[in-house]
Amino acid sequence: MNAITQVDKITEPVKFTDKKRKLWLLGLVVPNIANATFLGYQFGPKITKKLFTYMGPLALHIIIPAIDKYMGEDPENPPEEAVTDLENDSYYARVVKLFIPLQIIANLYGNYLVSQKAVSLEERILFGHILGLVNGVAINTAHELSHKSGKLEHYLSHLCLAPTGYNHFRIEHPYGHHRRVATPEDPASSQLGESFWQFWPRTVTGSFKSAIEIETRRLGRKGKTFWSLENELFHGWTITAAYHMLMLKLFGAGIIPTQLTQSFCGITLFEVVNYMEHYGLKREDLGNGRYARTRPEHSWNNNSRFSNVLLYQLQRHSDHHAYPTRSFQSLRHYDNVPQLPAGYASMVLPALIPKWWFKLMDERVIKHYDGHIDKINFYPKAREKVLGKYVHLFKTRTEQS
């Protein structure tokens, strides 16, 4: 009996412990950076006011990348047998939802400060950048919520999107982008040779049109028109309109420069991440408008620890697209998929500067596909330029066959 008991103890599976459980609270850092900045500006000594107004770009381009580099890589992957328990643990959902009240507080506080007569136009715009950082990261919170099946999560997603007015994302991302990802037809998949500033208008307008088409088809299947009261886009736009009307009523027209700045910066921050995630990657074209199944190698991956906990493991994008219904805590890192050279925060500035981005990324894309031209998602206007610049890396037709 003792021997059997001893064997049972040896073979009993070890229960998985999430070592990042408390670290996930770092996902609340960004709105708290904003709130701390506003407190420092309001109550700190005059000599530090200028520093606080520049906290948005300082945090995004210097502080967060420095912490990312210091904390290094995240080696932990949850085993498959632990996924069910992780998905059923309500702690993780509460952490995501806790972002929302902190986001609202940051927006209320920031708009209150810029409504004061002593605040200059420069400060209004710089505070708009800080709020853009908060509301851009909030689009990622909306992303996590938009993949859930519950209506509450969908409308909380719309609430996160209200400051930027990007409510169509709640529709287009799960039902459009995930279906067309890493194909030339996807407005949210960037192409080799396409600069971010060429991608920005293409993805913003294309995703908006796609959301309208998706919702029109959904309502059509129910025998209703786009103008039905069941249109979720109308619900999201109503939440956005109510939010901005409330802000204007509370704080006056003086907040308009801040509101315009935060919306542009928030959308741009989110779309620059979109730009990174699938640059130049393409699923195999099977003909007749069909493509191979989405696999982990159709997304750029990164495993920087701080950015991972800050963004609910959005950087483990390969696993997210392979298993889109998985919550952030269950996502895994893959070594054998395309890897970004650094974490998202460190890659924002290069992505905004086309020459820097192309130098970092174009050869990576070409080498990932071993020089096979037809496997790459090319930006049509840049195709010949890229082929000429990297002619030594591309295989000839004979070599490809």
Side-chain angles (χ1 to χ4, degrees):
M1 180 68 72
N2 288 340
I4 294 173
T5 304
Q6 186 67 25
V7 170
D8 287 345
K9 286 182 179 179
I10 292 171
T11 58
E12 184 179 340
V14 177
K15 185 175 176 63
F16 174 74
T17 301
D18 182 7
K19 296 175 183 176
K20 299 192 290 287
R21 188 175 178 87
K22 292 181 179 178
L23 280 178
W24 295 121
L25 292 171
L26 289 174
L28 308 175
V29 158
V30 170
N32 284 325
I33 287 175
N35 288 321
T37 295
F38 299 147
L39 279 168
Y41 176 87
Q42 186 175 9
F43 298 110
K46 289 185 179 179
I47 196 169
T48 63
K49 282 187 180 292
K50 182 65 73 174
L51 176 65
F52 283 117
T53 58
Y54 280 91
M55 187 53 68
L58 285 172
L60 178 59
H61 300 303
I62 297 176
I63 297 172
I64 294 175
I67 296 172
D68 224 6
K69 187 170 183 180
Y70 173 76
M71 290 185 69
E73 298 287 306
D74 175 15
E76 185 178 60
N77 267 353
E80 193 64 34
E81 59 269 21
V83 169
T84 300
D85 287 342
L86 284 169
E87 292 286 330
N88 292 335
D89 190 338
S90 61
Y91 166 79
Y92 299 100
R94 291 198 299 271
V95 169
V96 173
K97 291 171 184 174
L98 188 55
F99 185 97
I100 302 171
L102 294 172
Q103 177 196 7
I104 293 170
I105 290 168
N107 280 276
L108 286 168
Y109 197 178
N111 280 300
Y112 162 74
L113 286 181
V114 301
S115 70
Q116 307 305 302
K117 291 182 179 179
V119 179
S120 68
L121 178 61
E122 178 190 13
E123 290 171 329
R124 285 181 166 88
I125 291 171
L126 286 168
F127 279 166
H129 185 283
I130 296 172
L131 290 178
L133 178 57
V134 174
N135 297 324
V137 173
I139 298 178
N140 183 52
T141 302
H143 168 256
E144 184 69 21
L145 293 166
S146 74
H147 277 287
K148 305 305 176 191
S149 58
K151 283 292 182 184
L152 173 62
E153 283 74 16
H154 293 176
Y155 286 103
L156 288 175
S157 179
H158 280 298
L159 185 58
C160 292
L161 297 165
T164 53
Y166 223 49
N167 300 85
H168 66 275
F169 171 81
R170 211 314 284 168
I171 305 295
E172 204 285 327
H173 177 84
Y175 310 123
H177 173 60
H178 271 264
R179 181 170 60 85
R180 294 183 298 238
V181 66
T183 70
E185 288 77 25
D186 182 29
S189 292
S190 58
Q191 301 170 336
L192 183 69
E194 180 180 31
S195 76
F196 172 71
W197 303 108
Q198 291 166 321
F199 173 73
W200 194 96
R202 182 170 74 85
T203 189
V204 171
T205 58
S207 296
F208 183 78
K209 291 176 183 176
S210 173
I212 291 174
E213 291 167 2
I214 291 166
E215 193 65 354
T216 300
R217 287 196 301 269
R218 183 185 74 85
L219 291 167
R221 290 193 294 269
K222 300 174 73 173
K224 299 179 184 296
T225 70
F226 178 79
W227 302 103
S228 166
L229 292 177
E230 289 187 27
N231 188 326
E232 190 183 326
L233 287 170
F234 292 161
H235 304 168
W237 293 335
T238 300
I239 292 170
T240 289
Y243 167 84
H244 286 285
M245 288 171 62
L246 177 62
M247 287 293 178
L248 285 169
K249 183 174 178 61
L250 288 174
F251 304 116
I255 69 169
I256 290 175
T258 301
Q259 291 295 77
L260 292 174
T261 302
Q262 66 80 22
S263 182
F264 174 77
C265 289
I267 291 168
T268 298
L269 177 61
F270 178 75
E271 290 298 355
V272 83
V273 170
N274 245 357
Y275 176 72
M276 300 174 196
E277 288 171 341
H278 308 284
Y279 180 74
L281 302 179
K282 190 173 78 170
R283 286 149 57 195
E284 183 185 357
D285 190 343
L286 302 176
N288 298 320
R290 297 182 304 116
Y291 290 89
R293 179 180 177 273
T294 304
R295 296 189 299 271
E297 61 264 32
H298 297 129
S299 304
W300 290 96
N301 218 50
N302 187 266
N303 215 25
S304 299
R305 186 190 300 270
F306 186 57
S307 290
N308 262 351
V309 295
L310 201 66
L311 299 172
Y312 312 128
Q313 300 207 122
L314 185 66
Q315 295 181 136
R316 292 186 169 184
H317 212 62
S318 298
D319 205 32
H320 169 64
H321 270 279
Y323 300 93
T325 60
R326 283 194 170 180
S327 301
F328 71 92
Q329 68 271 17
S330 304
L331 296 176
R332 300 155 300 175
H333 173 73
Y334 295 85
D335 288 322
N336 59 340
V337 300
Q339 303 290 331
L340 288 172
Y344 282 178
S346 301
M347 294 295 288
V348 168
L349 203 55
L352 295 174
I353 302 172
K355 285 187 178 180
W356 190 358
W357 175 262
F358 295 151
K359 186 176 181 180
L360 282 173
M361 294 300 297
D362 284 5
E363 282 196 31
R364 282 176 188 267
V365 176
I366 297 165
K367 288 178 178 178
H368 169 67
Y369 287 115
D370 195 27
H372 286 76
I373 296 170
D374 294 339
K375 293 183 178 182
I376 296 171
N377 189 5
F378 271 104
Y379 185 54
K381 294 179 181 179
R383 183 184 176 96
E384 295 306 315
K385 181 179 179 181
V386 173
L387 289 174
K389 183 176 180 181
Y390 296 104
V391 64
H392 59 291
L393 295 177
F394 287 110
K395 293 185 181 297
T396 64
R397 289 287 177 186
T398 303
E399 290 173 316
Q400 290 188 59
S401 59

